[in-house]
């Protein structure tokens, strides 16, 4: 009896380029309509509908209806973390147009990635918080000290430790970023 997770099933869902495009488009945490996801993936709405149904059935996406439109979002933060991990080890796709070059430049500069701030802005903010001794390493965690909590006008009870894996991510080849700010601080700042 094999009780390990079915990685091959998830990999086959994620492995189709149009689905990757849709999943990456949803990493900002915002729900998007099927028509927008189709446009971003450069596929027809009918093809997008088939892909989205498979991603929902596979547990990677959730859908909700609002009037005539169906909106999709990542099913959990774990899906975003898995996508981000894959993006760090994947070879970059060659840029083939000025538009793609500009989109990549913007992503490298700043982006939200589900529950954290990333890109050059995220890196700079994280480094500055460490430099100002607002963000401290504590074992395998990053924690915000009392000064950071006060600076952000939040009570200490709202802040919880974040794992370093969630806080300062390794080099991210797809955007050139080498860190991201921890989830709790990014959520508060955003």
């Amino acid at each position: 009896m094999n009780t390990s997770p079915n990685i091959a099933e998830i990999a086959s869902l994620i492995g189709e380029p149009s689905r990757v495009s849709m999943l990456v488009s949803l990493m900002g945490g915002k729900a998007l309509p099927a028509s927008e996801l189709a446009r971003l993936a450069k596929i027809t709405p009918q093809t997008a509908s088939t892909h989205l149904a498979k991603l929902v059935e596979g547990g990677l996406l959730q859908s909700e209806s609002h009037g005539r439109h169906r909106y999709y979002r990542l099913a959990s933060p774990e899906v975003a973390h898995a996508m981000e991990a894959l993006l760090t080890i994947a070879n970059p796709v060659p840029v083939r147009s000025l538009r793609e070059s500009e989109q990549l430049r913007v992503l490298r500069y700043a982006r939200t990635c589900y529950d954290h701030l990333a890109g050059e802005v995220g890196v700079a903010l994280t480094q500055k918080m460490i430099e100002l001794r607002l963000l401290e390493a504590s074992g395998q965690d990053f924690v915000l000290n009392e000064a950071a909590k006060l600076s952000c006008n939040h009570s200490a009870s709202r802040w919880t430790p974040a794992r370093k894996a969630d806080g300062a991510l390794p080099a991210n080849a797809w955007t050139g970023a080498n860190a991201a700010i921890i989830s709790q601080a990014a959520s508060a700042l955003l």
Side-chain angles (χ1 to χ4, degrees):
M1 173 185 228
N2 186 357
T3 60
S4 62
N6 191 347
I7 295 172
E9 180 182 336
I10 296 299
S12 70
L13 285 171
I14 294 172
E16 203 286 324
S18 297
R19 292 186 203 142
V20 169
S21 179
M22 289 187 278
L23 288 165
V24 170
S25 298
L26 293 167
M27 287 178 63
K30 181 180 175 186
L32 295 174
S35 58
E36 177 68 5
L37 291 168
R39 186 187 68 75
L40 292 167
K42 300 177 183 164
I43 56 177
T44 66
Q46 296 81 5
T47 302
S49 180
T50 301
H51 287 307
L52 291 166
K54 289 179 180 181
L55 292 169
V56 168
E57 184 180 321
L60 297 176
L61 295 182
Q62 292 177 338
S63 68
E64 53 193 52
S65 293
H66 291 284
R68 296 181 337 156
H69 299 283
R70 191 156 201 81
Y71 286 78
Y72 295 85
R73 70 174 62 250
L74 296 181
S76 68
E78 289 78 19
V79 175
H81 293 303
M83 290 302 298
E84 192 162 84
L86 289 171
L87 288 166
T88 64
I89 61 172
N91 291 327
V93 175
V95 175
R96 295 194 168 110
S97 71
L98 183 57
R99 173 185 257 170
E100 287 178 2
S101 175
E102 178 61 15
Q103 289 170 337
L104 187 56
R105 186 191 66 73
V106 168
L107 284 174
R108 281 187 176 137
Y109 181 70
R111 68 184 184 283
T112 56
C113 191
Y114 206 74
D115 65 352
H116 65 272
L117 184 61
E120 293 169 12
V121 170
V123 171
L125 186 54
T126 300
Q127 290 172 341
K128 191 65 171 178
M129 289 178 75
I130 291 169
E131 179 184 315
L132 294 172
R133 296 192 173 121
L134 299 173
L135 186 63
E136 302 169 347
S138 174
Q140 291 299 311
D141 298 328
F142 275 130
V143 294
L144 295 170
N145 62 25
E146 292 303 315
K149 294 171 193 174
L150 292 172
S151 294
C152 292
N153 269 340
H154 286 283
S155 66
S157 63
R158 292 203 43 201
W159 297 87
T160 56
R163 293 178 325 204
K164 281 187 181 178
D166 292 340
L169 302 172
N172 194 338
W174 74 286
T175 62
N178 63 8
I181 190 165
I182 62 173
S183 302
Q184 291 81 3
S187 296
L189 293 170
L190 300 173

